[in-house]
Amino acid sequence: MMSTLGYYICIPFAWLVRFFYNLTSSYGVAIILFTLVIKLIMLPFQMKSKRSMMRMNRLNGQMKEIQKRYANNQVKQQEELQKLYAEEGVNPAEGCIWSFLPFPILIALYSIIRQPITHFMMLKQSVVTELISAVAETGYDMSGIVMMRGGEWVLKNDLPQIAAYGQINLVKAVQELGISLPEGWVNMNYNFIGLDLANTPWTMVKNFSMTWAVIGLILIPLLAGGSQIVLTKATMKTQPQSDGTGGSMKAMMYTMPLMSVYIAFIMPAALGIYWIAQSAFSLVQEIAMNNVFTKKMEEEEEARIAARQADRQKRMEEGRKQQELQRQQEAQKKTLREKQQAAQDAKASKAAKAANSTSEAGRVGDRPYARGRAYKADRYDDAK
């Protein structure tokens, strides 16, 4: 099931490599152009990943402060970090997801290089069996093509089992012997700048000689590892690193390139060419994106600061207006209270005055009388 799935995954990549090979007639150039196209296809996703990593790097100081403040409370620490991510619009996982994409492509390309008949030319397995029989009939040494045990072919279901790089050797044998080629066959020329890209560099180490064909192949894994180190250093500059991850990042900076050196030594040199091209294009991309996104993020930061200042000024202005409104309302309330108090004082004064005085018609000397008929001293005289 997995082999079938892997075969179908290889189809679009094989078509692309085959297209460039037919266009240039150079296996090495085809691999380089294939790498370039894959980089261009992945560029939008890697730009998104790069932008996220650079934003995370700018938050590094705030992240460390939160980690230090809540060192004894991991739950609260994660809550505050998530809150910070949400406020700044970043996703920590976004910077890592797309960095794993080159590995499936590397595996697919390895299958295409290792199995040129079935995964590059896309011919059937039965074609491989027929070509093995045709080459064997010529008396050709089959040890590099099929698996051998005790001088005999290893069979499974009566079919010869192909050696690790048996298809590559079979292609070379078929073309060297001039055997009749099946329909759909692509004449393979693995020569690139004087190097046989179908060979493994480790084989050249074991059969070392002072020739470019040998030294050049040995240099390919070293260049693959060196380019990986340069790329990793450039990438680490924009990646957020906490106190706990700095050491692991430095260890990975050398571990991954060493692994690439090892893999490039034991696999066909064409894979090393891909690795070098991948690192070179990635380095150019990294430098370009650093320049573009640094400038863009500085502009975003300036715009964010200006927006914050404008928002602060607006809130201050609203605060002043609110204070002025409150002052006016307080003044109105005070005036109203004063008017109410003056009315109450006037009413009380009037009431007090009314209680202590009468009109002149109701007074005899200093003695006041209640209002009523005016006093007349001779009212009841009998003069009449």
Side-chain angles (χ1 to χ4, degrees):
M1 178 65 181
M2 290 301 294
S3 60
T4 303
L5 179 62
Y7 174 81
Y8 285 110
I9 291 174
C10 287
I11 290 176
F13 298 125
W15 180 89
L16 193 59
V17 176
R18 195 165 60 247
F19 170 78
F20 286 124
Y21 179 75
N22 291 331
L23 185 67
T24 64
S25 299
S26 172
Y27 200 71
V29 174
I31 295 293
I32 294 171
L33 292 177
F34 166 83
T35 309
L36 177 60
V37 170
I38 294 298
K39 291 298 294 181
L40 292 175
I41 292 173
M42 293 173 57
L43 183 60
F45 308 106
Q46 291 179 329
M47 287 176 66
K48 187 176 181 180
S49 173
K50 184 64 178 180
R51 183 164 52 243
S52 180
M53 282 193 297
M54 292 186 71
R55 284 179 175 171
M56 285 287 293
N57 191 42
R58 286 178 175 266
L59 298 177
N60 202 29
Q62 298 179 57
M63 290 164 58
K64 286 183 177 180
E65 184 180 346
I66 291 173
Q67 290 167 351
K68 183 178 180 180
R69 186 185 306 166
Y70 301 104
N72 299 323
N73 189 342
Q74 293 297 316
V75 175
K76 183 65 175 176
Q77 183 184 115
Q78 289 302 316
E79 288 178 357
E80 291 298 318
L81 287 173
Q82 291 299 326
K83 183 179 178 181
L84 177 63
Y85 299 151
E87 289 175 351
E88 298 295 332
V90 299
N91 182 0
E94 200 170 51
C96 304
I97 293 173
W98 303 110
S99 61
F100 293 103
L101 273 180
F103 291 99
I105 297 171
L106 180 68
I107 294 171
L109 183 62
Y110 172 63
S111 297
I112 293 168
I113 294 170
R114 189 173 68 91
Q115 303 173 86
I117 300 175
T118 56
H119 287 65
F120 176 74
M121 304 178 197
M122 290 294 168
L123 301 179
K124 295 181 180 179
Q125 186 65 41
S126 58
V127 173
V128 177
T129 304
E130 292 172 1
L131 291 174
I132 289 175
S133 299
V135 171
E137 289 175 0
T138 65
Y140 192 87
D141 181 8
M142 302 297 289
S143 59
I145 297 175
V146 297
M147 297 175 65
M148 308 286 288
R149 184 182 299 147
E152 300 291 333
W153 294 5
V154 175
L155 302 177
K156 184 176 181 181
N157 299 326
D158 294 328
L159 297 175
Q161 296 301 291
I162 305 295
Y165 298 111
Q167 284 199 25
I168 293 177
N169 294 327
L170 180 60
V171 166
K172 289 183 175 181
V174 167
Q175 295 179 168
E176 179 185 334
L177 296 171
I179 293 174
S180 178
L181 301 175
E183 185 179 354
W185 183 269
V186 178
N187 284 311
M188 301 298 299
N189 180 7
Y190 290 103
N191 183 66
F192 177 63
I193 58 171
L195 306 176
D196 186 352
L197 298 184
N199 281 333
T200 59
W202 187 246
T203 303
M204 299 296 102
V205 172
K206 293 188 292 185
N207 301 283
F208 184 78
S209 63
M210 291 299 294
T211 61
W212 169 244
V214 173
I215 295 174
L217 284 181
I218 295 174
L219 286 176
I220 288 177
L222 301 179
L223 290 174
S227 60
Q228 281 279 309
I229 291 177
V230 174
L231 175 61
T232 305
K233 284 185 175 181
T235 304
M236 284 179 62
K237 291 180 180 179
T238 56
Q239 285 185 343
Q241 298 177 31
S242 62
D243 294 336
T245 61
S248 60
M249 289 294 291
K250 288 181 179 179
M252 188 174 67
M253 182 179 72
Y254 295 105
T255 302
M256 295 300 292
L258 287 174
M259 288 182 60
S260 67
V261 170
Y262 170 74
I263 294 172
F265 258 115
I266 63 174
M267 292 186 178
L271 200 66
I273 295 295
Y274 165 78
W275 225 317
I276 295 170
Q278 162 76 13
S279 298
F281 290 139
S282 297
L283 182 61
V284 173
Q285 175 183 286
E286 188 75 17
I287 295 171
M289 287 196 300
N290 280 344
N291 293 334
V292 171
F293 286 132
T294 297
K295 183 178 179 180
K296 187 174 181 180
M297 293 182 74
E298 286 175 353
E299 292 174 353
E300 289 178 354
E301 188 66 21
E302 291 174 359
R304 189 180 295 113
I305 293 173
R308 287 175 179 171
Q309 291 177 343
D311 182 64
R312 181 183 178 187
Q313 188 68 27
K314 182 180 177 181
R315 286 187 281 107
M316 290 175 62
E317 187 64 28
E318 289 176 351
R320 283 194 292 268
K321 290 180 179 179
Q322 188 67 24
Q323 289 177 355
E324 180 64 22
L325 180 60
Q326 290 177 354
R327 188 189 65 77
Q328 292 177 359
Q329 290 175 347
E330 288 295 332
Q332 291 175 357
K333 290 179 181 179
K334 182 178 179 181
T335 302
L336 181 59
R337 285 196 298 269
E338 289 175 348
K339 289 181 177 179
Q340 290 174 346
Q341 186 64 40
Q344 290 175 0
D345 292 345
K347 186 176 180 181
S349 177
K350 185 177 180 180
K353 185 176 181 182
N356 296 319
S357 64
T358 62
S359 65
E360 291 300 322
R363 177 183 295 277
V364 176
D366 293 330
R367 184 179 178 183
Y369 290 86
R371 290 184 183 277
R373 289 183 298 176
Y375 172 75
K376 294 179 68 176
D378 59 349
R379 184 180 296 279
Y380 301 103
D381 291 350
D382 296 330
K384 295 184 180 179

